[in-house]
């Protein structure tokens, strides 16, 4: 079984699952609410970075940067980092604390430019 809940409810949801007899809880698995828009922004930044580097290389070699000839995309999705806590320090019957953290969204582009 799988459940999607707001992060504020995640600890109580895990606690309820265990209380209802769950013997194996895998998660929570945290993800961005809008991964596609965030990844698209990362791609735009990666392309701008590639172009800036190509312009610097062209200028250093006495060439003029032309248009992009090929563009290929590749990259990773966010990887949530686990948040550890000391279960022994929790009061009895308390839901496990689940706290928001940060996620890095990475995008990689390879661009081949014309130069002259």
């Amino acid at each position: 079984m799988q459940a999607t809940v707001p992060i504020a409810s995640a600890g109580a949801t895990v606690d309820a699952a265990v209380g209802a007899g769950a013997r194996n809880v895998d998660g929570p698995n945290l993800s961005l609410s809008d991964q596609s828009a965030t990844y698209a922004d990362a791609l735009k930044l990666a392309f701008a970075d590639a172009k800036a580097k190509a312009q610097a290389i062209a200028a250093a070699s006495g060439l003029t940067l032309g248009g992009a000839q090929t563009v290929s995309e590749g990259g990773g999705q966010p990887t949530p980092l686990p948040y550890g806590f000391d279960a022994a320090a929790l009061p009895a019957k308390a839901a496990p604390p689940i706290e928001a953290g940060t996620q890095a969204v990475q995008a990689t582009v390879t661009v081949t430019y014309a130069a002259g």
Side-chain angles (χ1 to χ4, degrees):
M1 173 173 254
Q2 180 176 329
T4 300
V5 299
I7 196 160
S9 304
T13 303
V14 170
D15 196 41
V18 172
R23 296 179 55 115
N24 184 11
V25 177
D26 180 22
N29 296 313
L30 306 178
S31 64
L32 297 170
S33 59
D34 189 0
Q35 291 180 332
S36 60
T38 304
Y39 186 66
D41 289 342
L43 282 172
K44 290 175 190 173
L45 291 171
F47 186 84
D49 185 54
K51 185 174 183 178
K53 289 177 180 176
Q55 286 173 327
I57 293 169
S61 59
L63 298 171
T64 301
L65 188 66
Q69 300 297 301
T70 63
V71 179
S72 62
E73 174 264 333
Q77 295 298 315
T79 303
L81 299 175
Y83 180 82
F85 68 96
D86 183 4
L90 295 175
K93 304 257 181 189
I98 309 293
E99 294 186 16
T102 59
Q103 294 184 344
V105 176
Q106 296 180 336
T108 302
V109 296
T110 302
V111 184
T112 303
Y113 287 96

